[in-house]
Amino acid sequence: MSGALAGIKVVDLSRVLAGPWASQLLADLGADVVKVERPGCGDDTRQWAPPSLPDGKAAYFLCTNRGKRSLTVDISQSAGQEIIRKLAAEADVLLENYKVGGLKKHGLDYATLAKLNPRLVYCSITGFGQDGPYANLAGYDYIVQGMSGLMSITGPADGEPHKVGVAVSDLFTGLYAANAIQAALLAREKSGAGQHIDMALFDCSLAMLANVGSNWLVGQTVPPRLGNAHANIVPYQVFAATDGYFILACGNDKQFAEVCRLIGQPQWARDSRYATNPQRVAHRAQLVPLLAQSFRRQSRDSWLDALDKAGVPCGPINNVDEAFADPQAQARGMQLALEDNVGQEVPLVGCPIKLSGTPVEYNLAPPALGEHTEQILRTLGYGESDIVALRNSGTV
């Protein structure tokens, strides 16, 4: 491999989404990732289907396990624990998402493994972190979206709170974790020592409230649920045309003046209630219905064309099929296919990172359960008789 993280060895003891999302990104960047799975069943997401490929690999599993080698190990057995210790002794990174203290009983916690390998970067991902009153609670994306305030600002203003359509608390935690791991690897270059990284879905979900969280800290007003509208910018939302919906993202007063010109109401841009963005936010209830009435007079594409020519940010609302078919998605290589161990083409979403000197390389399709077990065990010094014994005992 020649990627940015070529030569970095990662032991991935995580499952489902946040941890595997982080390790897939590391694999895309060139790291050698060994995915440790339970014998017989593996990562839970292998069974999260339909849809799935003809050989049974679930689409959910495929989305987050590209570029990894699969090793099956029962870590409840002493022989399995020894395999993980051998891997950790040679690894740069270990990633896990067990409950707090869950790996200590197996001798696979950070304090124990750091004695074997002081350079090890050990990343723990949990729902609520390694300390605090909720540390021992299980963490699920859906629940964290609710507890963090994210659902309170998502969904129609007059309806029930909504979760986001994908598991964003998991995904953002995975991205934060990948950043933290790389920061720890850089720090190790200076200090020579690894460290323990403590990542929590709850923390990351609070952090990603971004301007909404800041709005509360500064204004001390609980943010309302605004549907498709924006808390700080008007007009910045979905509008209906004669034949569908489109997004208008009017970010400054000049753009608003162009919108007023296009809909035949240039005087609105000079109206003291609407001339500046703070005033438009204050008078949202009066302005938005007026704009909505104007936009219902023409087709979606006619508005998009006119707004685009006027330099006003706007866009269609695509379904997933339309998004992948978009020429921009095609040009950016956001869809690919890799051949797996049985020769079938596995369709995958591409990595969005574009590096000029060390580009992302796609070397391995998502693995079959235990596909690389014997290969990995041999590199750790296990002979054929050892491997047979491990299999007979159910360790691998």
Side-chain angles (χ1 to χ4, degrees), residues 184-357:
L185 289 172
L186 282 172
R188 190 182 70 175
E189 292 301 304
K190 302 174 185 177
S191 68
Q195 58 184 292
H196 187 208
I197 300 169
D198 174 8
M199 300 298 309
L201 270 68
F202 184 68
D203 298 351
C204 293
S205 296
L206 282 172
M208 73 183 212
L209 290 177
N211 63 294
V212 173
S214 184
N215 288 350
W216 180 81
L217 292 172
V218 173
Q220 291 293 298
T221 299
V222 175
R225 196 160 55 253
L226 295 172
N228 285 315
H230 195 289
N232 302 103
I233 310 172
V234 173
Y236 201 98
Q237 63 185 79
V238 171
F239 286 100
T242 58
D243 58 349
Y245 295 91
F246 68 96
I247 299 166
L248 176 65
C250 191
N252 58 50
D253 299 337
K254 181 180 178 182
Q255 291 170 357
F256 178 67
E258 285 297 307
V259 171
C260 294
R261 179 184 64 82
L262 289 173
I263 62 178
Q265 302 290 347
Q267 72 278 7
W268 290 354
R270 301 186 296 272
D271 190 312
S272 60
R273 296 171 298 172
Y274 313 138
T276 67
N277 183 69
Q279 287 301 102
R280 292 194 293 275
V281 172
H283 295 90
R284 180 197 304 266
Q286 292 79 39
L287 176 60
V288 170
L290 295 174
L291 293 170
Q293 184 179 14
S294 298
F295 286 130
R296 289 193 187 98
R297 296 170 183 163
Q298 295 183 38
S299 69
R300 184 194 76 163
D301 289 347
S302 67
W303 284 122
L304 291 175
D305 182 61
L307 290 164
D308 187 57
K309 288 178 179 176
V312 179
C314 61
I317 300 174
N318 291 331
N319 61 32
V320 176
D321 177 62
E322 291 168 330
F324 276 105
D326 192 289
Q328 185 67 19
Q330 298 290 322
R332 297 288 289 175
M334 290 307 298
Q335 183 175 349
L336 64 133
L338 294 175
E339 186 175 296
D340 68 8
N341 64 312
V342 295
Q344 67 184 338
E345 289 289 302
V346 180
L348 299 167
V349 182
C351 179
I353 296 174
K354 314 297 181 186
L355 295 169
S356 63

Side-chain angles (χ1 to χ4, degrees), residues 13 39 47 52 66 74 78 139 164 238 309 343 345 360 374 395:
L13 292 172
Q47 286 77 48
S52 59
R66 173 180 62 240
D74 181 355
S78 58
V164 181
V238 171
K309 288 178 179 176
E345 289 289 302
V360 165
E374 292 189 13
T395 303

Side-chain angles (χ1 to χ4, degrees), residues 90 128 133 345 364 372:
E90 300 178 357
F128 299 96
E345 289 289 302
L364 294 171
H372 306 94

